[in-house]
Amino acid sequence: MWLWMMLWVSGALSQENMREKLFSFPEESNTSYVQIFPDHKGPFTEASVCMRFRSDVTREYSLFSLATPRFLYDFVLFYDPVSSHQILLIVRNKPQSFNLQDDNFAEWTSLCVSWRSSGSVLFINGKTYKDDKTLDRKISEYPTIIIGQLQQSHGGGFSKSFSFVGEMTDVNMWDKALTDEDMMDYFADEEMSGNIIDWKALKFTGFGNVDILPYSDPYPCEAI
């Protein structure tokens, strides 16, 4: 139990079942982040990412940063409250924006994004947002995946002003586009795991001031 509450040594590669655990990013920083090592190198013609998070930061910040040698913003999830309350999905450096309703990210938020060439879908706390633009793109090979920071150079270039401050858990990624039903089921079914990133067998390295803490689902599903 005490291990969850301490900082781990920066740069040490770990593989761990992170079920009922979370990453805590307690302060604004340009040095604190987690690098996640995917189980497949790509390329990917479809992709989905799901996570839970909470943050009371009111500025913009990065939720998920995937860069490749070919594209710096190959698959990025970014919160932008400046111009409007929106989530940006950036694929191959091209952004798509989802204007949100009155979601309060200071409370635990369930988020999934599903992307394919015919368009993308964002799911937040039971609400679905769709963008039906045709996207003739694919995610390149050899991804570098980071949570807690936005890669502004491949594997680095971090800025305090884009850093994530808060808590994050249940980060999974698939090389397919999840359906609306899949995304709803994901947050009701703890047995679903990604085949690119699997939270229950997470390969990662932590840097800087990041804690591993216990996590308990604040909205558990109960059998009827």
Side-chain angles (χ1 to χ4, degrees):
M1 181 71 70
W2 63 271
L3 181 61
W4 292 0
M5 305 299 293
M6 67 180 294
L7 298 177
W8 70 87
V9 177
S10 291
L13 177 64
S14 300
Q15 179 170 333
E16 189 168 346
N17 183 350
M18 291 290 288
R19 182 175 180 177
E20 298 182 353
K21 302 177 189 178
L22 59 80
F23 288 124
S24 174
F25 302 85
E27 61 186 7
E28 189 174 272
S29 166
N30 62 359
T31 57
S32 299
Y33 63 98
V34 176
Q35 181 174 353
I36 298 175
F37 297 90
D39 290 327
H40 300 290
K41 67 177 184 179
F44 310 116
T45 57
E46 298 182 357
S48 299
V49 171
C50 293
M51 65 178 66
R52 287 185 173 99
F53 72 96
R54 64 179 176 185
S55 175
D56 58 7
V57 174
T58 56
R59 59 162 172 76
E60 54 194 353
Y61 52 80
S62 175
L63 286 164
F64 187 90
S65 176
L66 185 158
T68 64
R70 293 190 64 192
F71 293 93
L72 184 56
Y73 305 127
D74 220 335
F75 195 92
V76 172
L77 287 169
F78 191 81
Y79 174 55
D80 178 16
V82 177
S83 56
S84 62
H85 183 48
Q86 63 183 6
I87 294 288
L88 294 179
L89 168 63
I90 309 172
V91 180
R92 276 204 165 186
N93 297 346
K94 304 293 185 181
Q96 299 168 261
S97 61
F98 297 89
N99 294 319
L100 307 180
Q101 299 175 19
D102 296 327
D103 298 283
N104 179 10
F105 293 160
E107 304 295 330
W108 277 108
T109 298
S110 299
L111 180 151
C112 276
V113 65
S114 176
W115 167 81
R116 56 162 53 107
S117 60
S118 59
S120 55
V121 178
L122 176 71
F123 168 98
I124 293 185
N125 291 338
K127 302 169 189 172
T128 302
Y129 305 84
K130 295 192 176 185
D131 188 327
D132 296 325
K133 295 177 183 175
T134 300
L135 307 171
D136 186 18
R137 307 172 200 158
K138 66 180 179 180
I139 301 169
S140 302
E141 293 180 293
Y142 306 111
T144 298
I145 301 173
I146 285 174
I147 57 174
Q149 300 285 349
L150 176 68
Q151 297 176 73
Q152 298 180 81
S153 63
H154 190 202
F158 307 133
S159 169
K160 285 184 178 181
S161 59
F162 297 147
S163 65
F164 176 78
V165 180
E167 296 175 329
M168 190 176 294
T169 188
D170 289 348
V171 181
N172 285 269
M173 185 175 182
W174 294 260
D175 60 358
K176 65 178 183 179
L178 298 182
T179 66
D180 292 7
E181 292 76 15
D182 288 336
M183 290 187 285
M184 291 291 290
D185 289 345
Y186 172 74
F187 293 106
D189 181 2
E190 294 184 350
E191 299 308 313
M192 290 184 67
S193 297
N195 67 336
I196 300 176
I197 297 173
D198 181 356
W199 191 251
K200 300 183 187 67
L202 191 70
K203 302 178 185 72
F204 66 93
T205 301
F207 296 88
N209 185 12
V210 185
D211 299 312
I212 300 178
L213 302 176
Y215 169 76
S216 179
D217 190 345
Y219 313 112
C221 295
E222 297 182 1
I224 298 176

